[in-house]
Amino acid sequence: MRTPHVVVVMGVAGTGKTTIGPLLAARLGVPYAEGDDFHPKANIDKMSAGIPLEDTDRWPWLDAIGHWAHGRAGLGGVVSSSALKRSYRDRLRAVAPGVVFVHLTGDRKLIEDRMSHREGHFMPTALLDSQFATLQPLEPDEAGVAVDVGGGPQEITERAVKALDALPDITE
């Protein structure tokens, strides 16, 4: 049996990374880490004020996630991270080469609606446009799958598991 990979659940704010990540981890039998917990306070303060992060803000955050993923190499795990740009995913892979991405995708209207109904999150819907403008979907040479976020959490999780199972490099 191959060693488990670390899965990075990615996508714009509001796609359900924090909901699907733990469900996917439970389904795969591996630990989950919330990517937002790796943000320094300055990043959270900035986003809470409606100010988009710059790349220089993201590098330490991505490095921290990458180090967690690297520490889970051979053990498996699931972590959430927007990972919107190819350069961000490249940075994660530089620290943790075996990561696999699950890109949660969906219609902007659906995602905005979901964001407007969540409570206690620092990311305002005002930043959604900047998220979509920044988003660079997975490229063919990147290990990962795109999963539509239409439907309920269990349905989305099952789609993610099936898509991951279909990747020849992470399953037997």
Side-chain angles (χ1 to χ4, degrees):
M1 176 179 247
R2 289 186 188 174
T3 55
H5 285 256
V6 175
V7 177
V8 177
V9 179
M10 63 167 282
V12 300
T15 53
K17 297 180 295 292
T18 299
T19 300
I20 302 306
L23 292 172
L24 183 60
R27 184 75 166 67
L28 299 175
V30 297
Y32 171 73
E34 170 56 52
D36 286 342
D37 292 344
F38 293 91
H39 273 297
K41 184 176 180 333
N43 284 7
I44 293 172
D45 290 346
K46 213 172 181 181
M47 289 183 285
S48 295
I51 302 167
L53 297 180
E54 297 176 19
D55 286 352
T56 55
D57 300 316
R58 287 188 181 93
W59 298 140
W61 172 65
L62 290 166
D63 290 344
I65 291 171
H67 287 294
W68 182 89
H70 179 74
R72 298 295 313 162
L75 303 171
V78 175
V79 62
S80 58
S81 169
S82 54
L84 297 178
K85 288 184 181 180
R86 170 71 186 245
S87 62
Y88 304 164
R89 297 187 298 272
D90 289 345
R91 184 123 181 173
L92 288 169
R93 280 190 294 268
V95 179
V99 296
V100 175
F101 294 89
V102 170
H103 178 189
L104 299 178
T105 64
D107 173 76
R108 188 198 184 289
K109 185 177 177 180
L110 170 68
I111 294 167
E112 182 177 24
D113 182 62
R114 288 182 179 176
M115 283 182 76
S116 69
H117 289 95
R118 66 185 185 179
E119 295 178 18
H121 197 277
F122 58 81
M123 178 68 84
T125 57
L127 291 181
L128 190 55
D129 286 334
S130 74
Q131 293 259 301
F132 273 106
T134 302
L135 177 64
Q136 297 171 341
L138 289 173
E139 295 181 27
D141 66 327
E142 294 184 90
V145 296
V147 177
D148 184 76
V149 297
Q154 295 297 337
E155 182 183 348
I156 298 164
T157 301
E158 286 307 310
R159 276 199 299 271
V161 169
K162 286 180 183 173
L164 288 168
D165 283 346
L167 288 176
D169 61 328
I170 66 166
T171 60
E172 288 278 303

